[in-house]
């Protein structure tokens, strides 16, 4: 009897642990592959004769497509579960990488790296993976669980960026992209674990949420001042991360830094993001999440300004990568956790997806504008300044957010 009771007590923790591990591995492959794209700007330009602006546009487009398809991917996961959405996304992502590997024209590059990758990544990252975890974890542990999954998801950035750089140097960009495609297909079956902790064993808080139609839930969120501020602030996160992730390697080459330093810097960002995401999840469980977000944006903006103004050296690049890593994706568990706190988890995939659209519009602008400004002015200076200022603006948007629940729990009979 005691053994049976122990198994019953332990089983929810085991289920949540399985969701965290599966989600971390899926996001490792997806986010790790995505983080390598900045390494291919030079090879596509020098080897295939494709303009930097065109490659930057393809990378920017996948961010925009990701944003526009994220609400639909989240809604599909809310309705049908995460496994089929993850499987579809992994195949689409891999197909986009294969097409990019053999792209001989700008059109094929844009379709592969822009359209297919954008669709695939919307189904294999935050809007599907973290929302599955949000349904599985109890409210008091939700922020920490999301932070752990995000931290584990950074493993792919640490591992895949240097691997992609090594394969590119040894065998070319096509071989590197094909290996990344294989990694995406390998993690597709892990989507089966994402619903193990949430559907059958949903927390009591989810059961008590009113059965609000999806359209009404979206309308309620869009009418909430805090949700609008959160959505506007999330634009800055996408803008900063996409610009740095896409253009930092090329910027360092212009500063006469060693050829491999860009890949090293991106790998360090991923390494320190593991600690940063865990820390943000921990802080979000103990302090008001919008306050943590505000300070995170202030620190990130100050770090960008200091790096731009300081003399460039290998040491300054390493310090910058470390600070950026600590503040890199910690915004995601905090933002999704704040949406869950205010609006509940019944439509979390959709509501986070709508919010994430703003993030990806910022990503599109950051990736594309970096290439455009460089082509027009021959320098990244203007975009570095804009990226630093955006951090201050985002902080001012987050501090006044009201985090009181907008969805009031009701007795089960009231929702019948």
């Amino acid at each position: 009897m005691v053994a049976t009771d122990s198994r019953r007590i332990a089983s929810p923790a085991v289920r949540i642990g399985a969701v965290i591990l599966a989600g971390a591995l899926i996001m490792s492959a997806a986010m790790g592959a995505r983080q390598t794209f900045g390494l291919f700007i030079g090879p596509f330009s020098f080897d295939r004769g494709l303009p930097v602006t065109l490659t930057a546009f393809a990378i920017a487009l996948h961010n925009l497509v990701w944003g526009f398809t994220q609400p639909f991917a989240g809604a599909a996961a809310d309705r049908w579960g995460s496994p089929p959405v993850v499987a579809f996304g992994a195949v689409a992502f891999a197909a986009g990488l294969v097409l990019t590997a053999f792209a001989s024209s700008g059109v094929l590059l844009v379709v592969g790296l822009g359209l297919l990758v954008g669709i695939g990544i919307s189904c294999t990252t935050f809007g599907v993976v973290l929302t599955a975890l949000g349904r599985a974890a109890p409210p008091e542990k939700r922020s920490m669980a999301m932070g752990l999954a995000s931290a584990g998801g950074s493993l792919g950035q640490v591992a895949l960026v240097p691997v992609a750089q090594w394969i590119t140097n040894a065998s070319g960009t096509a071989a590197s992209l094909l290996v990344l495609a294989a990694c995406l297909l390998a993690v597709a079956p892990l989507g089966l674990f994402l619903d193990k902790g949430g559907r059958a064993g949903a927390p009591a808080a989810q059961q008590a949420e009113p059965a609000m139609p999806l359209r009404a839930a979206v309308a309620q969120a869009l009418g909430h001042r805090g949700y609008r501020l959160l959505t506007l602030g999330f634009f800055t996160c996408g803008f900063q991360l996409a610009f740095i992730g896409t253009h930092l390697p090329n910027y360092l080459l212009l500063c006469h830094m060693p050829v491999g330093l860009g890949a090293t810097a991106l790998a360090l960002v991923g390494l320190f993001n593991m600690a940063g995401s865990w820390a943000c999840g921990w802080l979000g469980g103990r302090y008001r999440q919008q306050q943590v977000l505000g300070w995170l944006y202030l620190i990130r903006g100050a770090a960008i300004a200091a790096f731009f103004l300081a003399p460039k050296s290998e040491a300054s690049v390493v310090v910058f990568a470390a600070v950026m890593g600590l503040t890199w994706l910690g915004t995601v568990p905090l933002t999704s956790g704040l949406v869950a706190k205010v609006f509940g988890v019944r439509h979390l995939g959709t509501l986070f997806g709508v919010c994430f659209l703003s993030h990806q519009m910022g990503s599109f602008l950051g990736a594309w504008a970096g290439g455009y400004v460089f082509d027009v002015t021959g320098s990244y200076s203007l975009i570095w300044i804009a990226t630093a200022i955006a951090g201050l603006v985002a902080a001012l948007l987050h501090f006044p957010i009201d985090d009181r629940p907008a969805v009031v729990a009701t007795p089960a009979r009231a929702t019948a």
Side-chain angles (χ1 to χ4, degrees):
M1 182 67 178
V2 174
T4 302
D5 290 343
S6 298
R7 286 194 297 270
R8 288 177 179 174
I9 292 172
S11 60
V14 172
R15 287 199 300 267
I16 294 172
V19 177
I20 292 174
L21 180 58
L25 291 173
I26 293 168
M27 289 198 300
S28 283
M31 297 302 293
R34 174 181 179 264
Q35 202 62 45
T36 66
F37 294 163
L39 303 177
F40 303 127
I41 290 181
F44 280 136
S45 176
F46 299 133
D47 300 337
R48 305 188 187 186
L50 299 174
V52 171
T53 302
L54 179 62
T55 307
F57 174 77
I59 296 173
L61 181 62
H62 99 257
N63 285 291
L64 195 60
V65 172
W66 180 6
F68 277 107
T69 55
Q70 187 65 80
F72 299 99
D78 286 342
R79 182 171 182 179
W80 293 298
S82 302
V85 179
V86 170
F88 172 80
V91 172
F93 200 149
L97 293 175
V98 171
L99 184 60
T100 303
F102 300 105
S104 58
S105 68
V107 173
L108 294 178
L109 178 68
V110 169
V111 172
L113 196 58
L115 181 61
L116 290 176
V117 166
I119 293 172
I121 202 168
S122 72
C123 300
T124 52
T125 52
F126 312 118
V128 173
V129 174
L130 288 190
T131 54
L133 189 53
R135 286 188 288 267
E140 67 275 9
K141 297 181 179 179
R142 185 177 295 141
S143 181
M144 174 60 79
M146 289 180 171
L148 284 172
S150 297
S154 301
L155 180 63
Q157 186 172 342
V158 177
L160 290 183
V161 171
V163 168
Q165 180 72 73
W166 179 79
I167 295 175
T168 298
N169 292 339
S171 304
T173 56
S176 184
L177 288 165
L178 291 176
V179 169
L180 295 175
C183 291
L184 264 299
L185 294 177
V187 300
L190 295 177
L192 293 170
F193 291 91
L194 293 182
D195 286 349
K196 296 295 185 182
R199 298 278 170 186
Q206 180 179 348
Q207 304 292 350
E209 290 177 14
M212 183 181 296
L214 176 59
R215 182 176 297 181
V218 173
Q220 180 191 46
L222 294 177
H224 191 280
R225 179 174 179 268
Y227 183 81
R228 294 197 300 269
L229 292 175
L230 186 67
T231 301
L232 289 172
F234 218 16
F235 177 94
T236 292
C237 182
F239 180 82
Q240 293 174 324
L241 269 56
F243 166 66
I244 293 171
T246 303
H247 296 284
L248 181 61
N250 197 45
Y251 175 72
L252 293 179
L253 290 177
L254 294 173
C255 294
H256 307 292
M257 294 286 100
V259 174
L261 187 59
T264 301
L266 293 180
L268 285 173
V269 168
L271 179 64
F272 281 90
N273 181 53
M274 295 175 68
S277 294
W278 173 84
C280 286
W282 182 85
L283 290 169
R286 285 157 178 79
Y287 303 96
R288 299 177 72 186
Q289 289 159 328
Q290 67 271 34
Q291 299 294 320
V292 181
L293 280 165
W295 282 106
L296 187 150
Y297 281 114
L298 279 179
I299 294 171
R300 187 192 287 173
I304 292 170
F307 174 70
F308 172 66
L309 295 174
K312 302 299 179 293
S313 66
E314 293 188 33
S316 69
V317 172
V318 169
V319 172
F320 174 68
V323 176
M324 288 305 300
L326 291 173
T327 62
W328 194 252
L329 290 178
T331 57
V332 176
L334 291 169
T335 301
S336 55
L338 188 55
V339 173
K341 180 179 180 181
V342 177
F343 301 104
V345 298
R346 187 178 298 275
H347 299 295
L348 179 57
T350 306
L351 296 183
F352 176 75
V354 173
C355 185
F356 195 71
L357 172 58
S358 174
H359 183 284
Q360 292 311 104
M361 292 177 70
S363 296
F364 172 83
L365 185 61
W368 175 78
Y372 178 78
V373 169
F374 176 76
D375 278 350
V376 171
T377 67
S379 169
Y380 285 111
S381 296
L382 291 177
I383 201 75
W384 276 113
I385 295 171
T387 305
I389 294 173
L392 174 62
V393 174
L396 295 177
L397 290 173
H398 281 81
F399 285 129
I401 291 176
D402 183 358
D403 61 353
R404 290 175 294 181
V407 175
V408 180
T410 59
R413 57 181 176 83
T415 61

